[in-house]
Every structure is written in C-alpha cells, then in structure tokens.
Amino acid sequence: GAGVSQSPRYKVAKRGQDVALRCDPISGHVSLFWYQQALGQGPEFLTYFQNEAQLDKSGLPSDRFFAERPEGSVSTLKIQRTQQEDSAVYLCASSRSSYEQYFGPGTRLTVT
Amino acid sequence: GQQLNQSPQSMFIQEGEDVSMNCTSSSIFNTWLWYKQDPGEGPVLLIALYKAGELTSNGRLTAQFGITRKDSFLNISASIPSDVGIYFCAGSYYAGGTSYGKLTFGQGTILTVHP
C-alpha cells in the first residue's frame, strides 16, 4: 500500500520567495501533522489537522507559515517571504488514530 | 522548542553486539514511540508503547515504557550492519476526550555498526 508522499523532495528558494510544500497522506487517515527538522535535530511539531480542521497551529514559527487541508486529504504548507532560518526538512505524518504517526520522506528546503 | 533528553548521542559498535539507548522527559507522556531515520528519508516507526511498564518487542528490538511515565528505553540485540541510522524517541500526552498525539522528539542517537 502507498505510504505518505511529499513533493517536491528538494526545493531551493531565493530569500524572499514564497514556497508551497505538498503532502499526500495515507488514504483514510484522518489526522495529519507537519513537523520541521533542523540539521542534526529531532523533528519539531508545526501544526495538526483532523480532517479539514486545523486544530493546532501552535508550532508555526511565524505568520509567514500557513497550512491548509481543504478537503481533508492533501495538505499544503506554504511559507511566504522565505528566510535563511527556514532552511530545514519539512516532514508530514498521517495517522488513523493520532497515536501511531507514519511519516513521509520529507521536503528539504534550502533558502539561499 | 521542547525536546526530550535522549542518550547516548552516538554509538559505535561491532556487528553482533547489543545496543541500549534511553529517553527521559521532565513531563509525563501517555504514549512513547521509537523511530529510525535513514539519511534523506523520513522517520520509520519501529515500536509504539501505550502503558506504563509495558515491554514490547519487534524482532530484535525491545522497548519499554518507564513506570514513572517519564522515560523509555530501546534495546537492539545482535546488531547487524543495516541497523545503522539515527534512532529517535518521541512522546505524546493527551488529556480528556480530544486527543491528537502531538509528538515531542528526542535529539536522536546515531548508531554506527562496524562489520
């Protein structure tokens, strides 16, 4: 069966550009999470969706970060006016129950 | 952001040796998960623990949910070269009827296995 997929796998953006990162969760998974992983660190929570509802966005580092999941399936994480400190791997995870989360391969964002 | 204290940070072992790593938190968790991450990939779930004192195995891997609910341990027996990677612990806590399992991760243990 298909796992969580993310695209693009790699993204290079010039400082100030907007980027959009896509996540396709496992079919039927109600819960979807976004995490940010800095080099050499564990992932850190950004935001959580239950179906199309964004129930927690407490981890989003600034108002330049925005996430949506309009139909309760595919999700997009958008970063406006990218800064160098936004360079990281962005991981998406989905779950049927929220307790066991299955991760995608991530999108490595490099801001130059 | 908050991260769990995971140790050791790195391990260099010979093939066939056993490995132990642990994770501690200043706060209580209801769920502990252990993941393995290979370079350029996302974390892969190895073991999930849901109850204080629980001991769960997955092949050569064994993990325990600490009695205090503030720690967890992972053991790998008879290591092989493909065990190489970064191992992360992760905990979540929920209260009440609405729960969603936001994970807090450790910093990771880098495992190197020499053949």
Side-chain angles (χ1 to χ4, degrees), chain B residues 9-79:
Chain B
Q9 289 189 353
S10 60
M11 302 184 75
F12 299 84
I13 62 170
Q14 291 292 128
E15 184 177 355
E17 290 183 354
D18 297 345
V19 171
S20 291
M21 59 191 78
N22 69 81
C23 210
T24 59
S25 169
S26 57
S27 51
I28 288 171
F29 288 122
N30 301 89
T31 301
W32 282 96
L33 305 174
W34 285 90
Y35 287 88
K36 177 175 183 272
Q37 187 173 28
D38 292 328
E41 299 297 328
V44 173
L45 183 62
L46 300 174
I47 291 182
L49 302 156
Y50 300 110
K51 196 172 168 183
E54 180 182 356
L55 189 71
T56 297
S57 293
N58 178 7
R60 294 178 297 105
L61 276 61
T62 302
Q64 184 161 25
F65 192 140
I67 289 290
T68 65
R69 296 166 67 191
K70 292 184 178 181
D71 55 6
S72 181
F73 307 86
L74 176 70
N75 295 315
I76 305 173
S77 63
S79 58

Side-chain angles (χ1 to χ4, degrees), chain A residues 9-10 31 33 35 37 40-45 48 50 55-56 58 91 97-106 108, chain B residues 1-3 31 33 35 37 40-43 45 48 50 88 92 94 98-108:
Chain A
R9 291 292 313 274
Y10 304 92
S31 299
F33 301 79
Y35 293 84
Q37 186 174 25
Q41 299 293 317
E44 292 197 8
F45 171 80
Y48 164 70
Q50 187 175 79
L55 298 186
D56 187 345
S58 62
L91 294 163
S97 66
S98 292
Y99 305 133
E100 296 182 8
Q101 296 181 27
Y102 297 91
F103 283 82
R108 180 176 295 279
Chain B
Q2 178 199 1
Q3 291 206 329
T31 301
L33 305 174
Y35 287 88
Q37 187 173 28
E41 299 297 328
L45 183 62
Y50 300 110
F88 288 100
S92 69
Y94 57 90
T98 301
S99 59
Y100 57 86
K102 171 172 70 177
L103 293 177
T104 300
F105 280 82
Q107 306 98 317

Side-chain angles (χ1 to χ4, degrees), chain A residues 2-13:
Chain A
V4 178
S5 61
Q6 292 186 244
S7 61
R9 291 292 313 274
Y10 304 92
K11 177 70 179 176
V12 178

